[in-house]
Amino acid sequence: MDFMNDYARLHNNIIELIEEDAEYGFYITYQDLTFTSVFQPIFDREHNIYGVEALARIFDANGSAVNPHDYFESIIHDDEVSAIATLICSTIHMLNFSRSCYYDKKLFINVTPVIFEILSNHDIAVNTLIRGLKKIGVSPTQLVYEIIEFEGRNLESVLNGIQKLADFGIEVAIDDYGIAYSTEERVRSIKPDYLKIDKSIVDLLAAFKYSKFHHAVSIGRSIKAKTIAEGIETKAVFERCVESGADYFQGYYLARPEKLAKSESVRQTTESSEGWKVL
């Protein structure tokens, strides 16, 4: 299958793999790997939960945990496998989020740039996404796509894809700002709605080294992006992030990733993933 030119079939193949149980909620097993969802809250300056970042948990055929970072690093140069894995995770994340107690918050999902290239070149991909969100009761304005890894991508196609999403109110974030390809130049080219400041910069605040953090916040303000401090692990660092002007905060000190409880309204309904299967 030419996945870039047969999105409809790719999407339908993924939808047919959706399963649900009490342990994982919605999950998908693909090539002997089972993909599940956990979520980590993102807090505002008043300590309210602003949104949640969806994170994959992966298990092999024996039920042993597979390191998500290592897995995605291993497929980073295979566009087809990368696209399939991203779409699998996005699908179960959206479904699990829609049934959760935080269904009215923002949902942050990691995606590879190849997804934006697909969206740029195939209107059916955008239309399918919007229709799917409507089916499960999630507004496009709740969705934030976090762009990960950017080596060797077609910037024009990525920007076109981002604009198509923006037309429906879907926002984007640059993940891990300050390391690898998440550079100031890249940020100013994309002009994301959110700038996630990498843990390596956040950790410098523990030693009272503020310059890189302040510079990141300044960049965010200059492009009218909200800043999110990632990887906060202590009270002292959290307080310094607040003092230094970050807009939102995320890390183990505040909350660890976990499976979300279902909302009360979901417990009282028998709806499942059938809405996705009629797209």
Side-chain angles (χ1 to χ4, degrees):
M1 177 177 63
D2 182 354
F3 80 102
M4 287 289 275
N5 293 310
D6 199 357
Y7 178 82
R9 185 184 301 179
L10 173 62
H11 172 266
N12 289 336
N13 288 347
I14 290 172
I15 296 303
E16 289 301 318
L17 296 175
I18 296 173
E19 297 183 74
E20 181 185 14
D21 68 16
E23 181 180 4
Y24 294 137
F26 291 103
Y27 67 95
I28 285 177
T29 298
Y30 175 75
Q31 293 186 343
D32 294 325
L33 293 176
T34 296
F35 296 81
T36 68
S37 301
V38 293
F39 300 84
Q40 185 174 33
I42 297 170
F43 294 84
D44 66 17
R45 296 179 65 84
E46 285 70 47
H47 305 277
N48 300 310
I49 293 178
Y50 176 73
V52 292
E53 179 182 355
L55 300 165
R57 293 293 180 263
I58 308 171
F59 302 91
D60 65 19
N62 296 317
S64 299
V66 175
N67 185 296
H69 179 268
D70 292 346
Y71 171 75
F72 285 105
E73 280 289 311
S74 73
I75 64 172
I76 201 167
H77 297 298
D78 187 325
D79 279 357
E80 181 169 359
V81 175
S82 181
I84 290 171
T86 299
L87 291 171
I88 284 173
C89 292
S90 296
T91 298
I92 60 171
H93 293 336
M94 291 177 193
L95 285 167
N96 286 316
F97 171 79
S98 73
R99 305 276 300 274
S100 80
C101 54
Y102 296 132
Y103 67 91
D104 58 342
K105 306 297 183 182
K106 290 277 189 178
L107 173 62
F108 290 72
I109 295 179
N110 292 293
V111 297
T112 57
V114 67
I115 296 299
F116 292 100
E117 294 181 30
I118 293 174
L119 294 168
S120 175
N121 293 293
H122 301 282
D123 287 340
I124 187 175
V126 180
N127 295 335
T128 298
L129 171 61
I130 300 304
R131 289 168 57 196
L133 290 170
K134 183 177 180 181
K135 288 284 186 181
I136 62 174
V138 176
S139 168
T141 60
Q142 291 178 255
L143 190 58
V144 182
Y145 275 154
E146 295 189 24
I147 306 174
I148 59 174
E149 188 53 63
F150 217 105
E151 182 181 8
R153 305 315 310 189
N154 184 316
L155 179 59
E156 183 178 356
S157 289
V158 172
L159 291 174
N160 286 340
I162 290 172
Q163 183 56 56
K164 286 189 176 184
L165 294 177
D167 290 341
F168 291 95
I170 296 174
E171 297 177 309
V172 298
I174 290 288
D175 195 23
D176 299 329
Y177 171 73
I179 63 170
Y181 297 94
S182 294
T183 62
E184 180 175 348
E185 179 183 7
R186 188 69 71 195
V187 168
R188 294 194 182 280
S189 297
I190 294 176
K191 293 182 175 62
D193 302 285
Y194 300 87
L195 182 62
K196 301 195 76 176
I197 304 173
D198 186 70
K199 185 179 185 300
S200 61
I201 293 177
V202 171
D203 283 346
L204 293 175
L205 298 182
F208 296 96
K209 297 179 180 179
Y210 288 90
S211 60
K212 288 187 177 181
F213 193 92
H214 286 166
H215 184 60
V217 171
S218 176
I219 292 170
R221 288 174 178 167
S222 72
I223 60 172
K224 299 181 179 179
K226 299 293 186 180
T227 51
I228 303 174
E230 296 187 287
I232 299 171
E233 294 187 347
T234 68
K235 179 180 180 181
V237 168
F238 170 60
E239 291 174 345
R240 289 165 197 166
C241 287
V242 174
E243 294 166 0
S244 298
D247 297 295
Y248 301 105
F249 314 89
Q250 181 180 5
Y252 281 7
Y253 169 71
L254 299 166
R256 289 178 175 269
E258 61 183 17
K259 187 180 131 181
L260 296 181
K262 289 184 179 180
S263 70
E264 195 63 38
S265 61
V266 167
R267 293 192 190 102
Q268 298 170 0
T269 183
T270 58
E271 290 181 2
S272 67
S273 61
E274 289 304 312
W276 285 75
K277 294 186 179 182
V278 300
L279 296 178

